[in-house]
């Protein structure tokens, strides 16, 4: 029994860490498409094709349920995959909905009509492809009315984090927050809509100020997965071992991942 966790690269390890802590008995197969990362600068068709290929690889590894721990894939490909591609006996879930349910104070699967919620001014920080897709605004509009969303595409930030250049990453966070604040001076909540950004959460919080509630996904996704598996235990697939797979160079990716998560991680070729 295993559940697949997919990301374009290493950022999804923040989600993997949270889901494995929350569900210690479930084996997880992680797949990073490092060969084709970053996804954030690709067009939607490209992200769709790559995400389908990676999802099939995880199905082959015995994972009937695949979590797209990549916001760019969740935003640019998930709806199309669910509508026309995923077979009946498989599931692919994304990372946006748990976050939006938390923001709009909804229980999982509450499909009642959109209503007014406590927050009215929300800042979204994400990759250029996620911002372009407007998937966040679309999913939010199914659940809430009267929420003003200002999105800031954080060009360069994923690359700086992947390279471990935290000085550049901090400078980029501060300049992207400044740019956002010029468009929306007093956001009430900020969404870190990219798997890499939790590593910079303190800098985001500092730049935004203490009055802004900063939402990041890993723990919200873990709670929602635990809830989902409680209701659909049959969706834990046949795979029985945790593993880390990459489409990139396993040694290079293992070294980067170890640096990224500050613990030893061994990737194998996908
Ligand atoms: N993992 C992607 C996301 O969450 C960011 C990295 C990329 O651009 O591939 O949006």
């Amino acid at each position: 029994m295993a559940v697949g966790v997919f990301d374009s690269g290493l950022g999804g390890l923040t989600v993997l860490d949270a889901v494995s802590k929350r569900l210690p008995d479930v084996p997880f197969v992680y797949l990073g498409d490092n060969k084709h990362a970053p996804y954030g600068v690709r067009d939607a068709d490209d992200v769709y094709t790559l995400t389908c290929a990676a999802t099939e690889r995880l199905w082959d590894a015995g994972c009937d349920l695949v979590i797209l721990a990549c916001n760019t894939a969740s935003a640019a490909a998930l709806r199309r995959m669910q509508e026309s591609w995923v077979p009946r006996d498989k599931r692919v879930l994304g990372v946006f909905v748990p976050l939006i349910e938390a923001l709009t104070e909804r229980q999982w699967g509450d499909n009642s009509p959109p209503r007014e919620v406590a927050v009215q001014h929300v800042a979204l920080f994400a990759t250029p492809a996620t911002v372009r897709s407007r998937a966040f605004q679309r999913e939010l509009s199914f659940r809430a009315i009267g929420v003003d969303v200002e999105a800031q595409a954080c060009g360069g930030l994923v690359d700086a984090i992947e390279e471990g250049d935290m000085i550049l990453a901090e400078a980029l966070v501060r300049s992207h927050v400044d740019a956002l604040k010029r468009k929306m001076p007093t956001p009430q909540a900020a969404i870190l809509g990219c798997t890499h950004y939790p590593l910079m959460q303190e800098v985001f919080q500092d730049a935004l100020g203490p009055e802004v509630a900063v939402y990041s996904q890993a723990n919200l996704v873990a709670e929602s997965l635990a809830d989902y598996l409680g209701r659909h235990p049959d969706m834990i697939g046949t795979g029985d071992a945790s593993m880390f797979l990459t489409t990139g160079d396993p040694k290079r990716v293992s070294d980067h991942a170890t640096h990224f998560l500050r613990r030893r991680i061994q990737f194998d070729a996908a």
Side-chain angles (χ1 to χ4, degrees):
M1 32 169 237
V3 171
V5 177
F6 165 70
D7 186 48
S8 55
L10 298 180
L13 291 172
T14 56
V15 174
L16 180 87
D17 246 14
V19 293
S20 7
K21 275 194 196 112
R22 179 67 183 77
L23 296 159
D25 298 330
V26 175
F28 288 96
V29 180
Y30 184 88
L31 172 59
D33 191 9
N34 299 79
K35 186 174 170 187
H36 302 108
Y39 278 18
V41 290
R42 292 178 179 275
D43 68 30
D45 279 344
D46 219 7
V47 172
Y48 174 79
T49 307
L50 291 169
T51 306
C52 289
T55 301
E56 276 183 326
R57 176 68 187 86
L58 284 165
W59 287 339
D60 291 346
C63 306
D64 291 343
L65 169 63
V66 171
I67 310 295
L68 301 186
C70 175
N71 288 269
T72 307
S74 299
L78 179 60
R79 178 163 279 256
R80 186 168 160 199
M81 291 167 78
Q82 286 173 332
E83 281 173 359
S84 59
W85 184 77
V86 179
R88 278 172 166 275
D89 58 338
K90 309 274 194 250
R91 290 285 180 285
V92 181
L93 303 175
V95 284
F96 267 122
V97 170
L99 187 80
I100 291 172
E101 285 176 342
L103 186 73
T104 57
E105 301 147 28
R106 280 192 180 230
Q107 296 299 319
W108 199 96
D110 171 358
N111 288 326
S112 59
R115 54 179 181 252
E116 282 185 12
V117 293
V119 285
Q120 269 136 27
H121 305 288
V122 176
L124 169 68
F125 297 94
T127 65
T130 298
V131 169
R132 230 178 11 249
S133 74
R134 297 186 62 80
F136 180 83
Q137 289 90 328
R138 184 187 64 220
E139 293 295 335
L140 185 65
S141 72
F142 294 147
R143 296 167 178 84
I145 44 177
V147 184
D148 183 16
V149 177
E150 195 62 65
Q152 176 66 31
C154 298
L157 186 52
V158 164
D159 287 324
I161 296 172
E162 288 267 333
E163 293 304 321
D165 188 343
M166 292 320 196
I167 294 174
L168 175 60
E170 175 164 351
L172 287 169
V173 169
R174 292 190 186 280
S175 90
H176 287 305
V177 169
D178 279 351
L180 183 284
K181 280 187 160 176
R182 284 196 288 276
K183 298 179 281 184
M184 179 181 272
T186 53
Q188 293 161 294
I191 306 294
L192 304 189
C194 171
T195 47
H196 288 62
Y197 301 175
L199 294 175
M200 304 306 293
Q201 183 153 349
E202 283 176 17
V203 183
F204 272 105
Q205 185 75 70
D206 185 56
L208 284 158
E211 64 288 352
V212 180
V214 176
Y215 287 75
S216 82
Q217 287 158 326
N219 291 333
L220 297 172
V221 172
E223 276 315 312
S224 132
L225 177 61
D227 185 68
Y228 182 86
L229 288 177
R231 286 176 298 110
H232 302 275
D234 51 311
M235 285 316 298
I236 301 181
T238 55
D240 58 8
S242 290
M243 31 182 179
F244 294 89
L245 303 173
T246 176
T247 56
D249 170 25
K251 171 156 183 355
R252 189 163 183 275
V253 172
S254 301
D255 289 348
H256 259 131
T258 301
H259 181 74
F260 191 83
L261 274 197
R262 300 188 181 93
R263 65 180 167 86
R264 182 77 203 143
I265 293 183
Q266 179 63 49
F267 272 85
D268 293 313

